[in-house]
């Protein structure tokens, strides 16, 4: 994942590449001129890092005619991205596709490039169906990290012993149960016994 410092460094370099300042880049993107100012990068009250919104970043990339992969390269001084295995969400429910840690086994997977990934265990899932609307739509691709530490509020992909695979928000967890909150209001929150889970992995990136 891109760090806070890398994202803002990428914006500064994006502005330089466009031959302007961060304020000028914001104007070109149709945003408030102060959107990318240094004063916006850390909260004045408690010095917590502030992130640019995905909307403002997308508008800046569009104005500069730069892809997100190129932006990630500017931000990290690395190649634009790394290849990761791509699996359809429906395939993920099949037996024998994953090891006990939730990483795909075997070879011959289709691969896609994602920027800013430093975890060698990451892989991508292509969303199908409507159970994850409006957050994820059919055709969206998400990257999951099986080894990443999970915390309440994280978006995760979980596989059950029934073969069902779902993307949810991680809620309250206990020694015996896991709460998985639906991203789609039309689907109910699930409270599962931990024995029902095969694996659960944090979503670290999405291509939408």
């Amino acid at each position: 994942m891109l760090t806070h410092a890398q994202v803002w460094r990428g914006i500064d370099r994006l502005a330089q590449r466009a031959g302007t300042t961060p304020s000028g880049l914001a104007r070109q993107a149709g945003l408030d001129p102060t959107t990318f100012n240094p004063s916006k990068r850390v909260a004045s009250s408690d010095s917590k890092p502030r992130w640019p919104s995905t909307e403002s970043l997308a508008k800046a990339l569009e104005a500069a005619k730069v892809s997100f992969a190129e932006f990630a390269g500017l931000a990290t001084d690395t190649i634009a991205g790394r290849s990761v295995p791509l699996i359809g969400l429906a395939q993920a429910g099949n037996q024998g596709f994953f090891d006990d840690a939730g990483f795909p086994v075997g070879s011959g997977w289709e691969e896609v490039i994602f920027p800013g990934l430093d975890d060698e265990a990451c892989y991508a899932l292509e969303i199908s169906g409507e159970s994850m609307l409006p957050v994820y739509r059919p055709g969206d691709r998400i990257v999951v990290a099986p080894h990443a530490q999970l915390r309440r509020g994280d978006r995760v992909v979980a596989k059950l012993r029934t073969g069902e695979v779902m993307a949810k928000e991680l809620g309250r967890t206990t020694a015996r149960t896991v709460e998985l909150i639906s991203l789609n209001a039309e689907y109910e929150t699930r409270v599962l016994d931990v024995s029902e889970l095969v694996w659960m992995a944090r979503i670290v990136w999405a291509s939408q």
Side-chain angles (χ1 to χ4, degrees):
M1 292 180 65
L2 295 177
T3 67
H4 176 265
Q6 287 172 335
V7 169
W8 284 113
R9 181 171 61 195
I11 288 173
D12 288 339
R13 290 178 175 175
L14 187 64
Q16 292 173 2
R17 180 168 170 170
T20 186
T21 63
S23 294
L25 177 64
R27 289 191 191 94
Q28 291 178 15
L31 301 167
D32 184 292
T34 66
T35 300
F36 300 138
N37 282 5
S39 61
K40 299 286 189 179
R41 305 180 185 189
V42 177
S44 57
S45 58
D46 53 11
S47 297
K48 287 185 177 180
R50 293 168 118 183
W51 297 73
S53 71
T54 53
E55 180 180 7
S56 61
L57 181 55
K59 287 183 177 179
L61 295 179
E62 183 178 3
K65 301 188 185 307
V66 169
S67 70
F68 194 88
E70 291 174 292
F71 173 78
L74 292 173
T76 61
D77 291 319
T78 61
I79 58 173
R82 183 168 66 80
S83 294
V84 297
L86 173 66
I87 302 167
L89 198 66
Q91 289 178 293
N94 294 343
Q95 295 294 327
F97 274 42
F98 296 89
D99 61 22
D100 291 340
F103 187 78
V105 296
S107 58
W109 304 110
E110 179 185 351
E111 294 195 341
V112 291
I113 300 292
F114 270 85
L117 298 178
D118 54 10
D119 185 344
E120 293 295 328
C122 286
Y123 61 92
L125 290 169
E126 186 167 270
I127 299 298
S128 57
E130 299 183 348
S131 65
M132 299 159 202
L133 291 171
V135 180
Y136 302 121
R137 300 161 296 179
D140 286 346
R141 292 171 175 181
I142 58 176
V143 173
V144 299
H147 298 163
Q149 184 177 359
L150 298 176
R151 296 171 294 184
R152 187 171 184 173
D154 284 342
R155 289 176 180 170
V156 299
V157 172
K159 181 175 181 179
L160 307 187
R161 297 199 180 279
T162 60
E164 183 180 3
V165 179
M166 62 188 80
K168 303 282 187 180
E169 179 180 311
L170 183 60
R172 184 172 179 267
T173 60
T174 70
R176 295 185 177 181
T177 62
V178 175
E179 180 185 43
L180 296 176
I181 302 168
S182 294
L183 304 179
N184 187 331
E186 295 183 4
Y187 290 76
E188 64 181 8
T189 292
R190 306 274 292 272
V191 179
L192 304 171
D193 191 283
V194 292
S195 65
E196 297 180 69
L197 288 170
V198 179
W199 51 259
M200 185 163 55
R202 182 157 64 92
I203 298 171
V204 296
W205 204 266
S207 174
Q208 299 174 295

